[in-house]
Amino acid sequence: MFHPLFLVAFILSNYLVCLLGTAARNGGFTFELVRQDSLNTPFYNANKYYPNVPQSQISAYKGQHLMKVSIGTPPVDIYGIADTGSDLVWTQCVPCDGCYNQTNPMFDPQKSSTYSDISCQSEQCHLIDTGTCSPQNLCSYTYAYGSGSITQGVMAKEKVTITSTEGKTVSFDLAFGCGHNNTGNFNDQEMGIIGLGGGSVSLVSQLGSTFGSKRFSQCLLPFGTDPNIASKVSFGNGSEVVGSRVVSTPLVAKEDKTPYFVTLEGISVGKTYVPFNLSGKVSKGNMFLDSGTPPTLLPQNFYDRLVAEVQKQIPMDPIKDDPDLGTQLCYRTKINLHDNAPILTVHFEGADVLLTPIHTFIPPKDGVYCFGMQSFGNIDIGIYGNFAQANYLIGFDRETMRVSFKLTDCSKQ
């Protein structure tokens, strides 16, 4: 998912995971991701919709990965989509007449002794670009996503508590959206969104002073991993990705602070290099990493050339008669395509990231494998989705302005 200032967000799945034993351990906090994976992922159609490091629980449900935080006094557990492509942290709040159905009770501000509305004159109201003044002098907001999903409500301040993998708790005040009118592509387990982008209202930015820095790390479990295996995301000092076999690429600063922009030069299919542009020249920051979008989305021309090369290296005919799969590249086979598909190498500026077939071919149903990259239309920018991020320890360091990758078996962290 990504913020409307860039292109607005896709409501798709998140895979946030862990860095125990591989990240530095000099502070910070690590959270467990609760996972309940499902094959009913909406990924087919991208247009449809450390002991002492702070960590948070995140679960996967129907393709979405949910981060658990507790808000209010007494605390109420909230499960929100963990999303590096947007900033706002919000949850559904009562009264909520224009809301989607959710299984768990909605947050009731009147039952919390630590809840307080943010006035429209407050500096915190200006953290969100769409903050306006309501007749009651409250900070109203509207936040839209590319799938058509929208949350509307009031900005508020509340006590938030998170629990580390070691059982330690930390509490802090958080500016968040109390959503009273929320519509879009949400399932009944999703109680909102936890924005992890680079903007000032995101959880990462607001936690910076609490945990010592605006750094965080994640390690995404592959699609279909045993849901009983927990994933983790870590914040602050101690979440740095260090050690051997780490490759890094620069973060590219742009006017929109939300997305984590990097530069993609091309992708190799086996030994065949496919450049991002035929001219060989690319614009800095032509790709951003988004845990809220499962497939990698590429400009049409680049995608067409990449898919043509992938097809050349797979000795079977693709599916052409399944309307559920649309125009994406899929194969129907009784054998495991993961044993026969080519290895891809993603060439970021200064960093080559290897993608095995587990990253690039996703089984949406029995006997079917679909290419985990799709066309993003005739635009010059792409999204590096969470399928490709799986089994990599990825560090987002806004202090040094770099993203680091380390190949990792995230199920064993």
Side-chain angles (χ1 to χ4, degrees), residues 8 19 36 57 102-103 112 125 159 185 193 226 243 252 265-266 275 318 324 364 369 387 390 394 397 403:
V8 283
L19 41 107
Q36 299 171 329
Q57 290 189 352
Q102 70 176 49
T103 300
S112 173
C125 185
K159 178 182 178 181
N185 299 321
I193 292 178
D226 183 347
V252 179
E265 298 172 344
D324 289 339
Y369 295 84
F387 291 153
I394 303 177
D397 193 332
V403 177

Side-chain angles (χ1 to χ4, degrees), residues 174-232:
L174 185 77
F176 79 109
C178 208
H180 296 292
N181 189 349
N182 316 296
T183 58
N185 299 321
F186 299 98
N187 66 54
D188 58 6
Q189 299 296 312
E190 298 157 2
M191 303 170 71
I193 292 178
I194 309 296
L196 300 173
S200 56
V201 77
S202 76
L203 181 66
V204 178
S205 295
Q206 294 194 62
L207 284 180
S209 59
T210 302
F211 297 140
S213 68
K214 295 178 181 180
R215 298 184 178 103
F216 73 100
S217 303
Q218 64 180 38
C219 189
L220 312 182
L221 287 170
F223 180 80
T225 300
D226 183 347
N228 294 313
I229 302 175
S231 305
K232 302 176 186 72

Side-chain angles (χ1 to χ4, degrees), residues 192-308:
I193 292 178
I194 309 296
L196 300 173
S200 56
V201 77
S202 76
L203 181 66
V204 178
S205 295
Q206 294 194 62
L207 284 180
S209 59
T210 302
F211 297 140
S213 68
K214 295 178 181 180
R215 298 184 178 103
F216 73 100
S217 303
Q218 64 180 38
C219 189
L220 312 182
L221 287 170
F223 180 80
T225 300
D226 183 347
N228 294 313
I229 302 175
S231 305
K232 302 176 186 72
V233 57
S234 299
F235 297 100
N237 291 333
S239 65
E240 301 92 334
V241 177
V242 297
S244 61
R245 298 182 294 110
V246 174
V247 295
S248 299
T249 188
L251 276 173
V252 179
K254 294 192 177 186
E255 182 178 357
D256 186 358
K257 305 301 181 185
T258 300
Y260 295 103
F261 291 105
V262 294
T263 302
L264 175 64
E265 298 172 344
I267 297 175
S268 291
V269 183
K271 296 182 179 180
T272 302
Y273 179 67
V274 182
F276 187 88
N277 287 329
L278 287 173
S279 67
K281 297 180 180 179
V282 296
S283 300
K284 297 289 186 180
N286 61 353
M287 176 77 71
F288 67 90
L289 285 78
D290 186 359
S291 66
T293 299
T296 291
L297 304 179
L298 302 172
Q300 186 71 56
N301 180 271
F302 180 39
Y303 173 78
D304 289 343
R305 289 183 284 113
L306 182 68
V307 164

Side-chain angles (χ1 to χ4, degrees), residues 12-15 34-42 58-67 79 81 101 103 185-191 223 227:
L12 294 164
S13 56
N14 294 349
Y15 288 77
V34 186
R35 302 187 67 257
Q36 299 171 329
D37 224 352
S38 168
L39 291 179
N40 297 321
T41 174
I58 293 186
S59 65
Y61 181 80
K62 295 186 176 179
Q64 301 287 8
H65 283 245
L66 310 180
M67 179 173 175
Y79 292 87
I81 300 170
N101 292 329
T103 300
N185 299 321
F186 299 98
N187 66 54
D188 58 6
Q189 299 296 312
E190 298 157 2
M191 303 170 71
F223 180 80

Side-chain angles (χ1 to χ4, degrees), residues 70-77 107-108 110-115 158-159 161:
S70 300
I71 66 174
T73 306
V76 175
D77 290 343
F107 178 67
D108 187 347
Q110 294 188 355
K111 294 182 179 180
S112 173
S113 63
T114 48
Y115 175 92
E158 183 57 283
K159 178 182 178 181
T161 302

